[in-house]
Amino acid sequence: MEYLVVGARGLLGLVFLVSVAGKVAGRSAFTAFVGSVRSLGAVPPVLVRPVARTVVAGEAAVCLLTAVPVPGAATAGFLVASALLAAFTAGIAAAVRRGATAPCRCFGPSTTPLDTPHIVRNVVLFAVAVAGVLAVPVAADARPGGLVVAGTAGLFAGAVVTRLDHLLALFRPLPASVRAGATDPDHRSV
């Protein structure tokens, strides 16, 4: 179980670190995040900015708690991550049902509108956080090599998750104008 805990710490720690960094990379980044929270319509206008600040603080707490090598800290980090991910999933699902076209600003600037893949991503991350909560109390001694592999796998999975929109874009069909090559006279058929 120790391998699961280490892998989950790496995965969730990196995901939330990239998320925080994307939201606080500058005044414009945070302002854009606040705008995306407002556009979801799930929060009363007077609470948009405090909710955005709370989200960033919670995400930063997950980063710190998953980085501290103390079982109590890991459990707390997994619990905060679970709560955030449950709220994110519910908020995104409600926005998708309402037909909101707000971009996913989960990891910084994006033009990809919130949709089912974001819900699935958050459900999977929620499951990882819950598994981490359950595994921490039963974690036993593990081999150092296995811990390195588990941590590396968690970090790799975190990197994939933070770039999921880009990876999924590789499999989306091209617009008709691009497929036809109608707008680019330099790409002629031979």
Side-chain angles (χ1 to χ4, degrees), residues 23 29-42 48 52 95 102-106 108 114:
K23 292 176 177 100
F30 185 73
T31 301
F33 173 61
V34 170
S36 71
V37 171
R38 182 176 291 110
S39 69
L40 291 177
V48 167
C104 173
R105 300 199 66 80
C106 308
L114 292 169

Side-chain angles (χ1 to χ4, degrees), residues 97-184:
R97 272 194 306 275
R98 283 193 312 276
T101 58
C104 173
R105 300 199 66 80
C106 308
F107 303 111
S110 175
T111 57
T112 305
L114 292 169
D115 206 352
T116 304
H118 299 103
I119 297 168
V120 171
R121 176 198 64 209
N122 286 349
V123 167
V124 170
L125 291 173
F126 174 80
V128 169
V130 169
V133 168
L134 297 174
V136 168
V138 297
D141 291 330
R143 295 176 187 242
L147 294 174
V148 169
V149 170
T152 302
L155 292 172
F156 177 77
V160 170
V161 167
T162 61
R163 294 293 166 219
L164 191 59
D165 284 345
H166 301 289
L167 294 170
L168 292 175
L170 293 173
F171 299 99
R172 288 191 191 108
L174 292 173
S177 62
V178 174
R179 283 191 309 249
T183 59
D184 189 0

